[in-house]
Amino acid sequence: MKYQSVKGFRDIIGVSAETFSFVEKTARDTFKKYNFSEIRIPTVELSDLFLRTIGETTDIVEKEMYVFEDKGKRKIALRPEGTAGVVRAYIENNLSQKEPSQKFFYIGQMFRQERPQAGRFREFSQIGCEYFGNTSVYADIEMILLAKEILESSGVKDVKIEINNLGCEKCRPLLLEKIRKILSAVPSESLCDDCKRRFQKNPFRVLDCKIDGEKFKNIKPELCDLCSAEFEELKNGLKDVNVNFTVSNKLVRGLDYYTKTVFEITSDVLGSQSAVCAGGRYDNLVKDLGGATTAAVGFAIGVDRLVEIIEKSEVRSPKSEVQSAAVFVCATENDDCKKTAFHILSEIRNSGISADGGYFEKSLKSQMRLAGALNSKYVIIIGDEEIKNKKIILRDMKVQQQKEIGIDDALGEIKKCFNRNS
Ligand code: HAM
């Protein structure tokens, strides 16, 4: 039997894997600038947590969650997103009291059993963050700026930011009523199967339906005075910090916990799954899960999609920044040569210079070929003749010239090549 990866799951290899690391490092550095601290939450939670937070009638919970029973007969779900787990951890660990900073970020795998297609994976990675305890619109602006900065620092240009305000508990029922009224005037047979279902269970979602959404594009939120004023403040605040955006009534998000501000960042470089980041405010969730009334706002960037943008637009090659084998050490199959070569290889690495070698079962010719393929700047060659004379050959791969030096001078010479103090 030939083993293959499970449908919708994939291996990430080589330059792609490096780009993932590069993006994660960029995000970590940016989060630090904004005073976010890391939180690592479990990959699994009780499935009930997601029912209560994301919503029983959402696509994620209804169709896409990986749910299983563990040996203790608990119903467990692989996390489809990070917000629910972070809020659970926030309450359980009493973080509102214990942590001076109420800003948390996470990087990790999420799981959704969606129909696999370009940009949609069953296991994907998110860079996410959650900011607790700030009701001000300026927290929303900060989050949009932060998401934009992570994307731009990763080398992504020309993203589009869409915003909307879904209203508070006062104005949401008014919008719901409006949608229900309009929907009931539409013959049910003219709606897609999803919207027929949504009409009963989750009417908001008809607005962003890919099939029927057009029919309802003129439905505008009914915002109360406070939400209207806040939405104006958000728009003006974004303009003040030179963030371009458009307002989209269709942006309702596929998770039930949002209140007021929601936003999505898209890139034309991506295909139909164009959202690279999404988020918004969820001022009721901490309380709904048993915590104190706590405002909150957050977002998550889809790392797989961010990497796809970088790869497609060739904005930056992380490989050029980190060379994994600046020096390559070759030796012949003679015990003394191998031992000396391995010793020098370790010394070079200990001095902070990247190096590879130790492929001594290969011929010298194929070791040299590997050094070339790895783009090494210098190659050290230790053959039978050299070891007899206590020498090594140091070859500069760029100018294709080599010289003999004493074994004891090898490390010092390499350090000089990289301008390191001996
Ligand atoms: P979301 O819109 O479900 O929001 O996901 C955020 C981002 O994750 C999407 O914009 C997309 O880039 C990426 N993503 C989602 N599903 C997939 C998939 N199947 N394959 C590849 N990438 C995917 C959330 O998850 C919220 N928790 C965001 C949030 C945080 N809101 C407040 N705080």
Side-chain angles (χ1 to χ4, degrees), residues 83-298:
T83 310
V86 173
V87 172
R88 195 257 322 126
Y90 183 77
I91 301 167
E92 188 174 337
N93 298 290
N94 199 14
L95 299 184
S96 64
Q97 301 301 313
K98 280 194 199 142
E99 290 297 318
S101 166
Q102 296 291 296
K103 298 170 164 183
F104 303 94
F105 79 90
Y106 49 92
I107 298 177
Q109 312 305 108
M110 309 294 159
F111 304 86
R112 297 182 192 175
Q113 196 161 355
E114 299 190 73
R115 195 167 59 78
Q117 53 178 293
R120 255 187 213 281
F121 305 102
R122 292 184 168 179
E123 179 182 20
F124 59 97
S125 177
Q126 280 188 346
I127 291 170
C129 62
E130 316 297 344
Y131 181 179
F132 295 101
N134 192 338
T135 52
S136 163
V137 162
Y138 282 90
D140 307 17
I141 297 170
E142 191 177 318
M143 295 306 262
I144 294 172
L145 269 178
L146 170 57
K148 187 169 169 275
E149 187 168 336
I150 294 174
L151 297 174
E152 287 178 349
S153 305
S154 302
V156 175
K157 288 184 213 124
D158 302 327
V159 289
K160 289 185 182 145
I161 301 175
E162 283 187 338
I163 60 168
N164 196 14
N165 188 315
L166 300 179
C168 63
E169 57 271 33
K170 260 201 239 150
C171 32
R172 256 174 103 86
L174 296 178
L175 175 59
L176 197 61
E177 202 180 304
K178 191 167 168 180
I179 298 173
R180 282 224 164 94
K181 207 161 160 193
I182 292 171
L183 265 178
S184 55
V186 176
S188 143
E189 57 279 11
S190 73
L191 293 175
C192 74
D193 287 346
D194 276 337
C195 280
K196 277 181 199 140
R197 220 167 21 86
R198 285 169 183 147
F199 177 46
Q200 299 299 334
K201 293 179 161 181
N202 196 350
F204 283 115
R205 290 305 309 280
V206 301
L207 300 185
D208 77 340
C209 174
K210 289 232 159 68
I211 302 167
D212 289 333
E214 256 320 279
K215 297 189 181 104
F216 309 110
K217 67 172 185 234
N218 292 325
I219 301 182
K220 286 211 169 101
E222 295 283 318
L223 295 182
C224 67
D225 290 348
L226 190 65
C227 287
S228 285
E230 281 184 3
F231 199 30
E232 283 310 304
E233 204 183 351
L234 176 78
K235 289 186 266 184
N236 290 331
L238 286 171
K239 281 180 202 153
D240 283 346
V241 287
N242 300 319
V243 173
N244 293 326
F245 61 87
T246 51
V247 174
S248 166
N249 300 325
K250 273 167 65 176
L251 186 61
V252 290
R253 308 282 296 120
L255 307 97
D256 281 356
Y257 48 64
Y258 291 108
T259 51
K260 299 184 179 177
T261 304
V262 286
F263 61 95
E264 202 161 83
I265 306 183
T266 56
S267 164
D268 286 344
V269 176
L270 296 168
S272 59
Q273 303 305 320
S274 61
V276 63
C277 172
R281 192 162 265 288
Y282 50 95
D283 287 346
N284 300 328
L285 193 56
V286 179
K287 186 158 181 282
D288 285 350
L289 287 186
T293 303
T294 310
V297 55

